[in-house]
Amino acid sequence: MNNAQTRELCLSLMKADTEFAVIDLLREANFWENRNVWRYYGDRENNFSTIGNQQSRADAALVEKLINSVDARLMNECLIRGIDPEGSSAPQTIREAVARFFDKEDASRKPLAGLVKNWPTAMRTQVARKITLVSTGASAREGNPCFTISDQGEGQTPETMPSTLLSIDKSNKLRIPFVQGKFNMGGTGALKFCGKHNLELIVSRRNPNILPKILVNQSDTQWGFTVVRREDPEGGRRNSVYTYLAPNDADSSQLKGTVLRFTSETMPIFPVDRNPYAEKAEWGTLVKLYEYETTGYKTNILLKDGILGRLDLLLADVALPIRLYECRAGYHGHQGSFQTTLTGLGVRLDDDKKENLEDGFPASVSMNADGEQMISTIYAFKKGKADAYRKNEGIIFTINGQTHGHLTIDFYRRKQVGLSYLADSILVIVDCSKLSGRAREDLFMNSRDRLSSGKLRLEIEHLLEDILKHHEGLRELRERRRREEVEARMEDSKPLEDVLKSLIEKYPSLSTLFQFGKYASNPFKTVKARGSETPFEGKRYPTYFRFKEQPYGTILNRNCHLNVRCRVVFETDAVNDYFHRDIDQGEFKLELVSDDINIPVMNCSMPPYNGIATLSFQLPISSKAGDSLKFVVTVTDPSRLEPFKNIFIVNVMEEITEKHEGGGGTRK
C-alpha cells in the first residue's frame, strides 16, 4: 500500500464501529488471515497469562486507559521543557507536575497549586479537551458501544510502539516519580472486554518538538497504527494469545514485523460536538476499544446511570480533567447534553456539597497505620443522595486520585463499627498517596482494582473501625436519623392516638389498661430543646487544645486495658478540617516518653469535630499490666510560636476477657 492508501485504512478503522467492519477492512487488505503479519503482544507467546489476569471489571480496566493518557500529557509537558523525567529536576509527585506544567506555580510556595478542584470551570474544560473519551457505535438497545480515548501527550514513533504502547512488563515508567503507571501492563486489562475478538486500534505520532535533531529512524515523524486481536487456543497451544498487526518486514519465523505507518501533518483524533473525529492534531495517541462491554451502563454515558458516574468514583481525584462525549445516534437533548468534563468524585462533591452532604461533612481524619500515613475523608450524604455517587462501595482506597481497591458498605454493618443505620449514606475515601513503595505493593494487587490481604490491610481496617465507631459527627447523625424516624412514626400514629384519647375520655376505666399514661414519651430531645443549642463555630487557628473539661497544663491519669484501644478526649475551638486543609494545616503527633526519649506512636488518629477531638491509639506491643506509661500530644500549625502540649499517664490494666457460660449464661 502507498502512503495515501495506508492513511485511508487508518481513517476507516477509526470510523468503524463494529468488529465485523474492522475484520472486513483487514480482509480487504489481505491482513486478517495472514498469520505472518501478526506479532505477539509484548513479544511473548504466553502473554495471556498477564493480559488475562488484569482488572476484573470493565469500568476499572477502562480507567487504566485514561490514566495512561494523563501520564502521557504530563510526560509531554516535561519533555518539551527539556527536563529529564528521571532526573532530580523533574517533579517528584503528580501534584507537583500538574502545578508546574499547568498552574505554572511552585506547589511548595502555593499550597493550592496542582489541584483541579481549585481551577475555574473554563480552565478545567480547556485542559480536558486534550484528553477525551468518546462513545460511538451501538446504542443501548443495539449492543455495546465503542470507546475512543485520545490524548495530545508525548506520542510514540512507529519504531518505538512495540517497546512502549505494545509492551508488557517493561520498566518504561518505573523510575519516573510523577506518573501513575508503574507496572507496564494495566492498559492491557481492557482487551478482554472488547467484543468477541478483543479488537483494539492504536494510532500514535510522537510530538515533533521532542524529537532529537538527528532522527533515529526516518519514520520517527510519521503516524504509526496497529490493531490488536485475540487468537483462540489452537495447534496444541492451550491458551489464547494476543497479537497485533505488524506487516512491515514481516518474518514468518520470527513474527517480528513492524507496524503500519504513513506521513500526514495532522490527523482528526479529537471530537467536535457530536462528530467523534473532527479536530485535527499534529501529534498524540488514539486508542479505540471496539464493542466494549458496558453491562449496567448502556445508557447515555453522561447520565446518572451511565459510565460517567463510575469513572467519577474510580478517578476520585483525577490529576487532570477529561472531556467525555456521547456521539451515538438515538439520544436526544440540547447540545450540552452530549459532552461534559470528568473531574472526579472529590471535585463533584466539593462543588455540590450543600445539595448532597450533611452539615459538617466532609470530615477528614489523619491516619497512621503501621507507620504509614494516610488521610480518610468521610462523606455523609443526605437521605437518598448517596446512590448517585456510589453503588456498593463503602470505603475506597486511592493513590494519586485513582481508586485501587474498595471495601463494600457491609463494612459499616460490622459489630465493631455499629453504623448499619447509616450504611446507605456514608462513603469514605482513604488517600494512600503517601504510602511507601513496599506498603503500596503489600496493600494493592498489581491490577490496581482490589486489595490484597495481609498485616497492613488488617491494621487499616481496625483503625477505620475505631475511627468510624467513635466519630462524633457520625454518632450525632445516627441519633438524628433515628430521632427523625421515630418522630415520623409517632406522627403517622396521630389518628389512632386521637381515637384512643376519645375512647378513654368516654370510658375512663380503660385508662387502667395503659400502664404508662395516655401518651408515649419521646426518647429524644424536643424540637425546642434542639433549637436552643448553639451551633459550633470553629476557628481557623485554635486558641486552645486541652483535655476535655480540664484546664490547660493538667496531667491526665487514666486506665486502659491491654487488648483495647486507648482513647483520650480533647476539647478545642479548631475548625473540623484543621488537620487536613490545603493551606496552613495543623499537625499533631503522639509520643511515648521513655527515659527522656520521645518515641513516636503509630496506629493513631485524632479527628476534631465540632469542638471535640478524640485521640485513639494502640498501646505499645511491649506493654504489660501494671505499667505506667507517659505520653505527650503535640499540636501545632504555622501560626503558633509554641505548640499545644498535653501530657497524660496511662495505667495499663489486664486484658478484658469475655466469659461465656453454658445455656443462657451472660457474657461478662
Side-chain angles (χ1 to χ4, degrees), residues 24-39:
D24 282 346
L25 288 168
L26 295 178
R27 276 187 173 137
E28 289 178 12
N30 297 318
F31 290 145
W32 185 253
E33 280 89 6
N34 185 354
R35 181 66 191 83
N36 294 335
V37 300
W38 294 86
R39 179 173 174 175

Side-chain angles (χ1 to χ4, degrees), residues 310-467:
R310 294 300 299 167
L311 295 181
D312 262 332
L313 183 70
L314 296 172
L315 291 168
D317 284 296
V318 62
L320 292 176
I322 299 164
R323 195 72 175 169
L324 270 61
Y325 294 79
E326 177 57 84
C327 295
R328 289 176 290 173
Y331 296 113
H332 305 286
H334 58 82
Q335 190 58 43
S337 303
F338 301 106
Q339 57 181 285
T340 193
T341 299
L342 169 69
T343 53
L345 181 62
V347 176
R348 278 183 66 195
L349 288 174
D350 191 67
D351 291 344
D352 304 325
K353 60 184 176 183
K354 289 185 178 179
E355 292 76 21
N356 294 289
L357 300 181
E358 295 281 1
D359 292 340
F361 291 92
S364 291
V365 182
S366 297
M367 296 170 49
N368 185 314
D370 204 24
E372 300 290 341
Q373 296 291 329
M374 290 157 282
I375 294 179
S376 296
T377 303
I378 304 170
Y379 296 92
F381 293 89
K382 295 179 179 179
K383 284 187 176 181
K385 295 291 186 178
D387 290 343
Y389 297 91
R390 59 109 167 99
K391 290 188 178 294
N392 194 40
E393 295 84 3
I395 300 176
I396 63 175
F397 298 82
T398 68
I399 291 182
N400 297 320
Q402 180 189 1
T403 296
H404 278 50
H406 74 274
L407 300 173
T408 68
I409 58 176
D410 289 334
F411 184 89
Y412 303 123
R413 299 188 176 101
R414 292 183 182 182
K415 180 181 177 181
Q416 298 90 332
V417 180
L419 290 176
S420 58
Y421 211 81
L422 297 178
D424 294 332
S425 299
I426 311 174
L427 175 67
V428 176
I429 299 179
V430 182
D431 184 358
C432 302
S433 302
K434 293 184 179 180
L435 289 183
S436 63
R438 178 66 176 266
R440 186 188 68 241
E441 293 169 353
D442 289 344
L443 184 59
F444 302 111
M445 300 296 290
N446 288 355
S447 57
R448 299 194 292 203
D449 69 333
R450 57 195 185 274
L451 300 173
S452 175
S453 298
K455 178 186 175 184
L456 180 57
R457 173 176 173 174
L458 194 61
E459 293 275 5
I460 293 173
E461 288 193 28
H462 287 337
L463 190 54
L464 285 169
E465 288 172 352
D466 184 77
I467 289 171

Side-chain angles (χ1 to χ4, degrees), residues 14 79 231 264 298 352 434 536 637 646:
M14 286 169 55
L79 292 170
E231 298 180 12
S264 181
K298 290 188 177 182
D352 304 325
K434 293 184 179 180
F536 173 77
D637 60 59
N646 291 275

Side-chain angles (χ1 to χ4, degrees), residues 605-649:
S605 64
M606 189 169 68
Y609 183 82
N610 290 0
I612 297 295
T614 302
L615 172 66
S616 173
F617 65 98
Q618 196 73 44
L619 292 176
I621 297 176
S622 59
S623 302
K624 59 183 183 297
D627 285 350
S628 182
L629 306 178
K630 181 180 179 181
F631 294 90
V632 59
V633 177
T634 305
V635 175
T636 190
D637 60 59
S639 75
R640 298 198 61 79
L641 297 177
E642 293 291 333
F644 297 110
K645 284 193 175 182
N646 291 275
I647 299 172
F648 62 96
I649 308 295

Side-chain angles (χ1 to χ4, degrees), residues 540-545 552 573 578 581 584-587 634-645:
R540 182 169 184 80
Y541 304 106
T543 60
Y544 63 89
F545 215 110
Y552 182 68
D573 56 354
Y578 179 58
R581 63 194 181 205
D584 292 347
Q585 64 181 220
E587 297 179 359
T634 305
V635 175
T636 190
D637 60 59
S639 75
R640 298 198 61 79
L641 297 177
E642 293 291 333
F644 297 110
K645 284 193 175 182

Side-chain angles (χ1 to χ4, degrees), residues 85-101:
E86 298 183 10
S88 59
S89 60
Q92 296 304 298
T93 65
I94 291 180
R95 181 179 168 186
E96 183 185 346
V98 175
R100 286 171 59 178
F101 301 152

Side-chain angles (χ1 to χ4, degrees), residues 64-83:
E64 291 293 335
K65 293 295 190 183
L66 298 173
I67 288 295
N68 287 342
S69 289
V70 172
D71 286 351
R73 286 280 281 148
L74 295 176
M75 284 289 294
N76 181 69
E77 296 301 320
C78 182
L79 292 170
I80 61 176
R81 289 167 172 79
I83 301 172

